[in-house]
Structures are given as structure tokens and as C-alpha cells.
């Protein structure tokens, strides 16, 4: 175990990683894997896709550590930028080769509805299933946002990055992040009208 590893800066971990230090990679992975997974999950809506993106992002990090430039942002932003590129490539492949989801799926009437039906036989689980259905509604609405709005909402509202961090990840000015976030929130709220509790779940963090 690396002595004093909790005090090691991300910048130093990347420098050691670039020199081939495996323990530094493990530490950096442990610090940031969960955040990258959540980002990928919100962007794709599927855990298996998120797991793939996490793996691809960290493998790319190993190969491209030398490209990190502290003047352009923190190591976390560098990693998120890599993950963002993998998300975009995955979504582009799916857009090219897979049929679009039908409206029933997009409105959350798939898994959430099936859960509600099972809940009818187990009334004590109903509240939990209703919450799960709201999550499905929010996730479905989020997936229908244009990609650049989805990224802003995911980073700022769902993962609570500040504007500066989001701007570094998205490689755009802070003002652009603000405008994308405002528009993304408006669009998401419009899609969630009539879903009790969903708007608060989606945009109530900031």
C-alpha cells in the first residue's frame, strides 16, 4: 500500500502512473471509478454500457497520461473528457446500427411498468416500486435530451460538478455550460410534466 496515499494529489498520481507505477493507477482508479460510472450510466441509461465505458476510459488513460496538461484543467476533468469521448462514440455506434426505442420505452413504460405490476401482488413494496418508476421516467427523459444538454445536466445537476469543472470536461466556456444547463433543465422539465416527484428528482440538486 502506498504510504500516505490519501494525501497524494491526483497530479502526482498521474505523473507516477505515466512512469509505470501500478499502485498509483489503482489509487487513481479507486478515487474516480464510481464517478465515471455514474456519468456513463446517466448518459447511456445502461449499467453494462457504463461498465464498458469505465474500462475503456481507464485503459485510454494509461495510454494517454502523457497528454495531460495541468493548465487545461484538473486530472479529474482530463479523465472525464476521455470518458465523454467514449460515451459519444458508443452513442454514435448505437445510433448508426440499432433501431430507435419506441415511444413506450422512452416514456418509461417498460421496466417501471413491469415493476408496478409485480408490486400489485406485494403492496408493501409499492412505494419502492413507485420510486423506481420515477427514476425510469427521469432516465428516459434524460436520454431524449440532445447530447450537449444531457452532458451539462448530468455533470452539474446529477453529479454536482461546479461550472468550472464542467467547463473543463466539456472543453467550453463557463457561460456555455450555464446556457446549456438552463436550456437542458427547461427541456427536461417539459418532458417530465405530469410525472409526480420526477422534476424534483431530476433538477432539485442545485
Amino acid at each position: 500500500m502506498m504510504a500516505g496515499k490519501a494525501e497524494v494529489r491526483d497530479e502526482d498520481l498521474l505523473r507516477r502512473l505515466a512512469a509505470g507505477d501500478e499502485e498509483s493507477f489503482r489509487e487513481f482508479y479507486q478515487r474516480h471509478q464510481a464517478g465515471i460510472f455514474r456519468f456513463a450510466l446517466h448518459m447511456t441509461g445502461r449499467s453494462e454500457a457504463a461498465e464498458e465505458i469505465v474500462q475503456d476510459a481507464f485503459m485510454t488513460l494509461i495510454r494517454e497520461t502523457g497528454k495531460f496538461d495541468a493548465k487545461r484543467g484538473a486530472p479529474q476533468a482530463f479523465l472525464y473528457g476521455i470518458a465523454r469521448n467514449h460515451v459519444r462514440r458508443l452513442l454514435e455506434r448505437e445510433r448508426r446500427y440499432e433501431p430507435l426505442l419506441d415511444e413506450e420505452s422512452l416514456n418509461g413504460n417498460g421496466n417501471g411498468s413491469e415493476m408496478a405490476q409485480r408490486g400489485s401482488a406485494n403492496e408493501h413494496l409499492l412505494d419502492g416500486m413507485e420510486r423506481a418508476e420515477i427514476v425510469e421516467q427521469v432516465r428516459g427523459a434524460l436520454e431524449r435530451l440532445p447530447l450537449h444538454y444531457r452532458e451539462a445536466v448530468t455533470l452539474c445537476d446529477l453529479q454536482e460538478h461546479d461550472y468550472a469543472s464542467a467547463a473543463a470536461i466539456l472543453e467550453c466556456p463557463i457561460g456555455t455550460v450555464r446556457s446549456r444547463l438552463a436550456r437542458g433543465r427547461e427541456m427536461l422539465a417539459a418532458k417530465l410534466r405530469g410525472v409526480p416527484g420526477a422534476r424534483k428528482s431530476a433538477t432539485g440538486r442545485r
Side-chain angles (χ1 to χ4, degrees), residues 7 31 37 51 55 57 78 82 89 103 129 142 178 180-181 184 189 194 197 202:
E7 300 175 0
R31 288 184 185 183
F37 178 84
E51 290 170 358
Q55 179 178 352
F78 180 65
I82 292 173
R89 282 196 286 269
E103 187 64 24
M129 290 183 176
L142 185 63
R178 290 178 183 272
R180 288 180 184 177
L181 180 60

Side-chain angles (χ1 to χ4, degrees), residues 148-173:
H148 52 292
Y149 297 132
R150 193 190 322 170
E151 290 172 337
V153 171
T154 295
L155 290 170
C156 294
D157 280 339
L158 301 182
Q159 295 197 274
E160 300 184 330
H161 285 266
D162 60 28
Y163 295 125
S165 174
I169 293 168
L170 300 177
E171 299 182 318
C172 66

Side-chain angles (χ1 to χ4, degrees), residues 85-139:
N85 289 337
H86 282 292
V87 166
R88 283 175 168 259
R89 282 196 286 269
L90 175 65
L91 295 178
E92 181 60 30
R93 288 200 306 269
E94 292 180 345
R95 189 178 304 115
R96 189 178 304 145
Y97 297 117
E98 294 184 3
L100 295 175
L101 293 174
D102 58 30
E103 187 64 24
E104 181 180 4
S105 296
L106 291 174
N107 285 331
N109 292 329
N111 293 338
S113 183
E114 292 171 3
M115 291 176 67
Q117 292 174 4
R118 290 195 296 270
S120 64
N122 301 277
E123 292 184 1
H124 64 286
L125 296 178
L126 184 58
D127 288 344
M129 290 183 176
E130 287 177 347
R131 286 194 295 272
E133 189 167 359
I134 289 174
V135 170
E136 289 298 322
Q137 294 276 6
V138 172
R139 182 172 295 169

Side-chain angles (χ1 to χ4, degrees), residues 32-68:
H32 299 294
Q33 178 270 339
I36 295 297
F37 178 84
R38 288 192 298 272
F39 170 72
L41 180 61
H42 289 312
M43 292 298 298
T44 66
R46 302 187 315 283
S47 60
E48 64 275 12
E51 290 170 358
E52 176 185 339
I53 288 164
V54 168
Q55 179 178 352
D56 290 344
F58 279 96
M59 291 302 294
T60 300
L61 177 70
I62 292 174
R63 295 193 302 270
E64 299 185 356
T65 305
K67 295 182 179 180
F68 170 69

